[in-house]
Amino acid sequence: MSGADKSISAVRIGGPDAGSAFGVYIHWPFCLSKCPYCDFNSHVRREQIDEARWVRAFSAEIASTAARIAGRVVSTIFFGGGTPSLMQPKTVAAVIDAIAGGWPIAADAEITLEANPTSVEAERFRGYRAAGVNRVSLGVQALDDRALAALGRTHSTREALDAVEVARAVFDHYSFDLIYGRPEQTPEQWSRELRAALPEAGEHVSLYQLTIEPETPFAALHAAGKLRPPDEDTARILYDVTQEICGAHGLPAYEISNYARPGGECRHNLIYWRAHEYAGIGPGAHGRLDIAGDRHATATEKRPENWLARVERDGHGLVADEVLTSAETADEFLLMGLRLAEGIDTKRYTEIAGRPLEPDRIALLREHGLIETTAAGRMRVTQSGFPLLDSVIADLAA
Ligand SMILES: C[S@@+](CC[C@H](N)C(=O)[O-])C[C@H]1O[C@@H](n2cnc3c(N)ncnc32)[C@H](O)[C@@H]1O
Ligand code: SF4
């Protein structure tokens, strides 16, 4: 373990003592094809995946994590990817059983699985529900066949909407993702697309502005001048239009890219943003574990085959396990919490950091209309501050 030389965070910010939620993230790292914009830890393999072997490895890493943080109750589980909807339902059931072997799972636990919206995958939805999954998150991405092709997606708009319909029929909760700010997309086109999408939504949608991630095919096209995302002004208009339409539809933003009816928020993702405790299982998964008053940042080996080999040898795939300093913990608390419309409890920040936020900096950001205090006394970024979130955080964290 590194970090022995660091000053240790004196205050537990998550974990059972804080009475907070505990989540388990499971990473399934395989996809049928790689989308040209995506830099998630996802891999295409020609050979058949030995799912029974993966179940054994997930179970081993779950058991070794549970041995380190006993006594938690699981409030959320999230199968992310990659494409977890390529897993057989019995694989998902076995992983949920392994989690239940490590910690009790709360009766009302939220159990989400990310799915690609193809007909083949939708056929497995009932099997996932029988396995214990109660929420799916579908990567619809666009309601426009040409845009879907440009994004390298293998499904059509019709197929995606059919998968949404199956999700609605099978699960208590579902969400879907769209990517906006796509090359050449005008605010008028996006408004039309979003207005067509929202009647299909349940209590939650995720709307991401396209990010050009380094070392992706989109980054190469962008560098060659062959892919033009919207300029800053258009991106701002796209963001504002999104807020307006979703708000009018009863799905206000509760996070910079996530929209929900009150009560429909994704409880698992709230664990990250509220800086509670979560275990990261599977290749390239990150965790935050509260052990004996220390906040541990964990990360596992990214490459699927290497992760498997490590787990089979050592019982876990950890490649990093650092104790965060109070300053690092406080920065993370700020970074994650200010993404939320509910903002942060500044008293909690002071407890973690051992000092309050700089009053002069707060005053300046307030003067510029970038932050405000809520009726509940929390500090949050304003609507007009959200597009500048990164610089607001950099200012406060410095
Ligand atoms: C783990 S990914 C994918 C889930 C699933 N495999 C799929 O593609 O449908 C989660 C979401 O991140 C979003 N995403 C991925 N790369 C992105 C990028 N470069 N810019 C904006 N959104 C992105 C997509 O909306 C995607 O659905
Ligand atoms: S967007 Fe989804 S399907 Fe496409 S490569 Fe990334 S994880 Fe795989």
Side-chain angles (χ1 to χ4, degrees), residues 27-44 80-84 86 114-117 121 139 141 151-155 177 179:
H27 191 76
W28 183 256
F30 302 113
C31 292
L32 288 183
S33 58
K34 183 83 190 176
C35 305
Y37 54 86
C38 175
D39 80 338
F40 281 86
N41 187 30
S42 60
H43 306 263
V44 179
T83 306
L86 296 176
E114 273 183 348
N116 283 26
E121 290 163 290
Q141 319 307 4
L151 290 169
R153 303 294 293 181
T154 57
H155 55 86
D177 302 349
I179 296 180

Side-chain angles (χ1 to χ4, degrees), residues 229-268:
D231 59 32
E232 214 172 284
D233 289 345
T234 312
R236 176 68 203 241
I237 297 169
L238 287 164
Y239 181 78
D240 289 344
V241 159
T242 307
Q243 306 309 302
E244 197 185 304
I245 296 176
C246 288
H249 194 84
L251 292 168
Y254 69 98
E255 192 264 351
I256 189 156
S257 307
N258 286 277
Y259 301 77
R261 290 187 206 295
E265 299 86 359
C266 172
R267 286 166 52 201
H268 184 82

Side-chain angles (χ1 to χ4, degrees), residues 19-342:
S20 58
F22 169 58
V24 179
Y25 175 80
I26 306 284
H27 191 76
W28 183 256
F30 302 113
C31 292
L32 288 183
S33 58
K34 183 83 190 176
C35 305
Y37 54 86
C38 175
D39 80 338
F40 281 86
N41 187 30
S42 60
H43 306 263
V44 179
R45 295 287 180 260
R46 267 194 306 164
E47 63 276 15
Q48 181 84 17
I49 307 299
D50 181 351
E51 295 195 28
R53 188 174 170 201
W54 276 80
V55 167
R56 286 194 296 277
F58 282 134
S59 304
E61 195 163 65
I62 289 163
S64 75
T65 311
R68 300 184 70 195
I69 49 163
R72 310 314 194 244
V73 176
V74 177
S75 35
T76 66
I77 298 172
F78 195 101
F79 289 88
T83 306
S85 52
L86 296 176
M87 296 163 95
Q88 295 170 40
K90 70 174 186 200
T91 302
V92 173
V95 174
I96 295 174
D97 279 351
I99 295 171
W103 307 274
I105 300 178
D108 69 343
E110 173 194 272
I111 305 184
T112 304
L113 182 131
E114 273 183 348
N116 283 26
T118 72
S119 53
V120 177
E121 290 163 290
E123 279 172 18
R124 296 193 197 107
F125 286 0
R126 285 183 200 284
Y128 295 139
R129 192 185 70 174
V133 171
N134 51 30
R135 182 175 183 275
V136 281
S137 174
L138 293 147
V140 170
Q141 319 307 4
L143 292 186
D144 172 334
D145 285 342
R146 278 184 45 196
L148 286 172
L151 290 169
R153 303 294 293 181
T154 57
H155 55 86
S156 64
T157 303
R158 184 67 265 156
E159 206 176 357
L161 290 176
D162 288 348
V164 169
E165 207 176 307
V166 179
R168 187 171 26 239
V170 171
F171 295 101
D172 297 342
H173 308 280
Y174 71 97
S175 176
F176 57 79
D177 302 349
L178 296 174
I179 296 180
Y180 69 103
R182 305 189 302 257
E184 321 293 346
Q185 189 182 39
T186 65
E188 293 69 32
Q189 285 168 337
W190 168 236
S191 301
R192 238 177 292 128
E193 192 175 337
L194 184 56
R195 282 184 216 281
L198 289 180
E200 308 296 329
E203 59 193 1
H204 190 285
V205 289
S206 301
L207 306 172
Y208 299 109
Q209 287 223 28
L210 177 67
T211 309
I212 305 296
E213 301 288 358
E215 288 169 45
T216 57
F218 266 25
L221 286 173
H222 185 238
K226 292 184 184 151
L227 183 154
R228 260 182 237 107
D231 59 32
E232 214 172 284
D233 289 345
T234 312
R236 176 68 203 241
I237 297 169
L238 287 164
Y239 181 78
D240 289 344
V241 159
T242 307
Q243 306 309 302
E244 197 185 304
I245 296 176
C246 288
H249 194 84
L251 292 168
Y254 69 98
E255 192 264 351
I256 189 156
S257 307
N258 286 277
Y259 301 77
R261 290 187 206 295
E265 299 86 359
C266 172
R267 286 166 52 201
H268 184 82
N269 286 338
L270 281 175
I271 288 178
Y272 304 144
W273 298 319
R274 289 177 175 163
H276 290 160
E277 188 178 33
Y278 55 96
I281 307 293
H286 292 255
R288 290 291 180 275
L289 308 180
D290 296 302
I291 302 172
D294 295 335
R295 180 88 166 158
H296 288 242
T298 66
T300 52
E301 162 66 40
K302 274 183 90 172
R303 205 180 139 71
E305 292 73 15
N306 298 356
W307 177 83
L308 262 186
R310 263 180 193 267
V311 177
E312 287 172 352
R313 192 188 64 202
D314 302 334
H316 63 78
L318 285 178
V319 290
D321 182 6
E322 289 193 23
V323 174
L324 299 180
T325 64
S326 325
E328 286 168 339
T329 307
D331 278 355
E332 252 188 26
F333 175 71
L334 201 65
L335 191 87
M336 301 306 273
L338 287 182
R339 298 175 65 97
L340 289 170
E342 70 182 21

